[in-house]
Amino acid sequence: MLFLEIKTISTETADKAYLTEEGFKALDCTESELFTIKAGCNEVKVNLYRLNQSTNSIVGPRVQLYLPKITYKYLNLPESLALSALVDRPKKTIKIGPFLGYLITRNKRLRIPPFTTQRPMLQLFSKIAREYGVISFAFAPQDIDWPNRKINGYIATPLPDGNVLWRKDTFPFPDVVYNRVLNRSSERKDLINETVKNLQKVPGLHHFNPRFLNKWETHIILSRNPGMVEYLPQTALLRNFSDITEFLNKYGKVYIKPINGSLGANIIKLEKVPTGFQFQYRRKRKNQSGIWPDRLALQTELTKLLGRRLYVVQQGLDLLTYQGRVFDVRVLLQKNGSGRWTTAATVARVASENSIFPNIAAGGTAIPIEKVWESFTFGDWKTSEIRQKLLDLGSNVHKTLEEELGNFAELGLDVGISKTGHVWLIEVNSKPSRKVFPKNQPHLKVQSIINIIDYARYLSGFSNPQNNTGDYYESNLYTD
């Protein structure tokens, strides 16, 4: 694998590029040989010529490619960055990059680029991307210049004092777009929908995790797989009040969930008790609970709470608790630098006292799964039958969803474990949060970002597949 350092040269001839003598030897090419130079999804054909070294100063590595400034402009390359390129000699291609774009939405209330609450997280992504030789930048739909195939995005630039400056620059359409639109209301806007559809039409551009998952759609897709049925709680689209009473009569307790909800918002738990119907839900960051005495009160109050949203009604489950608190297991599935799925992390999310919501955004706490598992005296987590079931479940989930919905690079599975040891798939998230990692396991968060960067390099053609065996395996991320 041969890399070239990219330099500019003052000439107005756009169809020529220049190599040092060492470059010609390394590429084993001939004078005026035709090559294609690619940057992201943009490309130009040039003839390669020897650089007149007597009139040009050579600095740094001597295997260098010199491009005219007009070619830089045509490819929409950022002139302020140090660039390198990967050579594919058989295909006569020189590929500059790789370029990774983070698709975001712009927050009008913020005055500091890149105008998003994700700024700290994107800075960490950008830092790791730089360490892995990836040019990454953030952009919103308004930053795309479709006719000229360029993006006026923002790149995180480290400063000597340790701070980070987000600087505006010009970039080609990237090799890979990582969809970081993090709320459903933004995703539903016409501008975002149109942008995502148009990006997916760009030849050579890879776009992963393009949208949020709909709970009902996800259930229907997964239930078509015979290997998934045992993991899925009984679920139905809520059409009328009788659906709720039918589930309550059959299971004793049920969950009512918005099909497009996130972070535990607007979920209602109902349970039949001798004095009526016990309820629990969360509104405006506060947990609400009580008892509705009869079916009339149940129907009246639910009508007020549910409004016009679409919901599913789901079988209530008798799950294990940790120190008397509700918990679930978050399994983070990600693709790696080989394009293979891995289990990047498995952690427990424990609800706060008297809460039914283990979500971190609802006050839950992330705890190492090994610690929770030890509390049940079930033995070693790594060798447990439940862990193997989670691996099998993850394999089934990602294969089934990708067959129906397209390319994903990461999925978050929320799993419950019953008191009899049965594994239940509660929910699948296509935009999993990185706030889920335990504070004493920061390496899991870092590795989850490295996996995304590695996968972007893989899609861009800048990394070789590793010699992994099997279609599915778990990363060894439990050692410090």
Side-chain angles (χ1 to χ4, degrees):
M1 187 178 292
L2 175 63
F3 282 90
L4 300 174
E5 184 181 4
I6 307 299
K7 298 286 187 179
T8 58
I9 190 171
S10 298
T11 174
E12 296 303 318
T13 308
D15 60 350
K16 293 181 180 180
Y18 300 86
L19 278 171
T20 57
E21 183 64 34
E22 290 75 9
F24 260 87
K25 292 177 182 178
L27 266 69
D28 190 26
C29 59
T30 59
E31 190 86 15
S32 77
E33 189 170 351
L34 187 67
F35 268 69
T36 300
I37 297 179
K38 295 184 177 182
C41 296
N42 298 350
E43 64 179 59
V44 62
K45 293 187 180 300
V46 299
N47 298 101
L48 295 182
Y49 292 89
R50 281 180 173 79
L51 181 70
N52 182 356
Q53 297 186 22
S54 62
T55 58
N56 290 277
S57 175
I58 306 298
V59 180
R62 298 182 65 83
V63 182
Q64 298 171 334
L65 176 69
Y66 283 73
L67 297 178
K69 289 187 177 181
I70 191 171
T71 305
Y72 249 65
K73 186 175 181 180
Y74 181 82
L75 291 172
N76 296 314
L77 293 173
E79 292 190 37
S80 60
L81 296 181
L83 302 174
S84 61
L86 177 65
V87 178
D88 186 334
R89 183 66 183 87
K91 294 182 179 179
K92 296 186 178 183
T93 299
I94 299 172
K95 188 169 179 59
I96 301 170
F99 290 90
L100 168 63
Y102 310 114
L103 176 61
I104 61 173
T105 52
R106 192 172 292 168
N107 189 326
K108 295 179 181 178
R109 293 175 293 179
L110 299 179
R111 294 291 179 263
I112 301 176
F115 313 108
T116 173
T117 56
Q118 298 183 67
R119 189 171 187 262
M121 179 59 67
L122 291 179
Q123 285 177 189
L124 183 55
F125 264 94
S126 298
K127 177 179 182 294
I128 294 174
R130 279 195 305 275
E131 293 171 355
Y132 279 70
V134 175
I135 302 163
S136 68
F137 59 93
F139 71 100
Q142 302 93 320
D143 300 321
I144 304 175
D145 182 346
W146 293 102
N148 294 306
R149 296 177 64 84
K150 70 178 180 181
I151 297 176
N152 299 306
Y154 292 87
I155 188 165
T157 306
L159 300 176
D161 62 3
N163 290 319
V164 175
L165 172 68
W166 283 85
R167 181 172 46 80
K168 193 170 187 177
D169 214 327
T170 299
F171 301 91
F173 281 8
D175 299 285
V176 179
V177 169
Y178 179 24
N179 190 313
R180 295 289 302 175
V181 178
L182 290 189
N183 62 70
R184 295 171 188 267
S185 59
S186 294
E187 185 178 84
R188 286 192 290 267
K189 292 181 179 178
D190 291 341
L191 180 59
I192 290 293
N193 270 311
E194 184 179 353
T195 299
V196 169
K197 288 178 182 178
N198 287 336
L199 286 172
Q200 290 173 328
K201 294 176 183 177
V202 176
L205 188 150
H206 302 275
H207 182 197
F208 55 73
N209 288 56
R211 67 184 184 94
F212 284 94
L213 297 179
N214 170 305
K215 288 182 178 63
W216 179 239
E217 178 188 31
T218 301
H219 178 80
I220 292 297
I221 292 171
L222 293 177
S223 62
R224 294 190 193 122
N225 180 344
M228 285 296 308
V229 174
E230 66 174 294
Y231 298 109
L232 301 176
Q234 187 67 34
T235 304
L237 186 63
L238 180 57
R239 293 185 171 89
N240 52 56
F241 182 68
S242 62
D243 294 328
I244 298 172
T245 56
E246 181 181 331
F247 267 64
L248 280 171
N249 290 335
K250 187 173 183 179
Y251 301 109
K253 58 183 173 182
V254 302
Y255 285 86
I256 303 172
K257 303 178 178 181
I259 64 171
N260 289 313
S262 300
L263 307 175
N266 300 308
I267 293 176
I268 303 170
K269 178 187 176 184
L270 297 175
E271 185 171 2
K272 289 179 72 174
V273 294
T275 54
F277 300 92
Q278 186 178 64
F279 65 85
Q280 286 179 279
Y281 60 88
R282 185 174 174 82
R283 282 288 191 278
K284 297 180 179 179
R285 300 185 179 182
K286 291 184 178 181
N287 294 329
Q288 309 288 339
S289 62
I291 294 178
W292 292 319
D294 50 40
R295 290 185 178 235
L296 178 59
L298 173 67
Q299 183 170 6
T300 301
E301 296 301 323
L302 282 181
T303 301
K304 295 177 186 176
L305 287 171
L306 299 181
R308 295 187 177 182
R309 285 193 181 100
L310 291 175
Y311 286 80
V312 293
V313 56
Q314 192 173 80
Q315 164 191 356
L317 303 171
D318 191 18
L319 302 178
L320 288 173
T321 59
Y322 175 67
Q323 297 180 352
R325 300 184 182 189
V326 171
F327 84 93
D328 67 12
V329 180
R330 165 57 64 91
V331 181
L332 177 62
L333 306 178
Q334 291 186 308
K335 287 179 180 173
N336 63 7
S338 310
R340 295 176 181 268
W341 283 97
T342 71
T343 299
T346 305
V347 302
R349 303 187 307 172
V350 181
S352 58
E353 191 172 1
N354 298 322
S355 173
I356 61 170
F357 304 105
N359 310 68
I360 306 303
T365 304
I367 297 178
I369 184 62
E370 297 87 349
K371 181 178 179 180
V372 172
W373 201 245
E374 288 170 2
S375 73
F376 299 121
T377 64
F378 290 156
D380 183 29
W381 167 254
K382 292 182 184 179
T383 59
S384 69
E385 183 181 349
I386 295 295
R387 175 179 170 273
Q388 186 57 51
K389 285 184 179 180
L390 295 188
L391 291 176
D392 296 339
L393 172 62
S395 180
N396 263 321
V397 169
H398 72 68
K399 287 177 183 176
T400 305
L401 290 182
E402 281 203 305
E403 286 175 2
E404 294 275 349
L405 301 176
N407 189 34
F408 291 89
E410 56 184 355
L411 293 167
L413 278 55
D414 296 336
V415 177
I417 303 170
S418 77
K419 294 176 180 177
T420 60
H422 190 88
V423 170
W424 293 101
L425 179 62
I426 298 170
E427 192 167 335
V428 182
N429 303 277
S430 61
K431 304 286 182 80
S433 168
R434 280 174 175 76
K435 295 179 180 179
V436 73
F437 303 114
K439 292 181 179 179
N440 64 344
Q441 292 183 316
H443 62 285
L444 294 181
K445 180 177 181 179
V446 172
Q447 186 61 51
S448 75
I449 297 174
I450 291 173
N451 289 340
I452 292 295
I453 301 301
D454 267 347
Y455 182 54
R457 285 179 58 87
Y458 166 79
L459 290 176
S460 306
F462 276 75
S463 65
N464 288 325
Q466 302 169 7
N467 295 321
N468 298 323
T469 57
D471 293 327
Y472 192 78
Y473 65 94
E474 183 170 25
S475 300
N476 182 23
L477 298 178
Y478 294 100
T479 57
D480 293 327

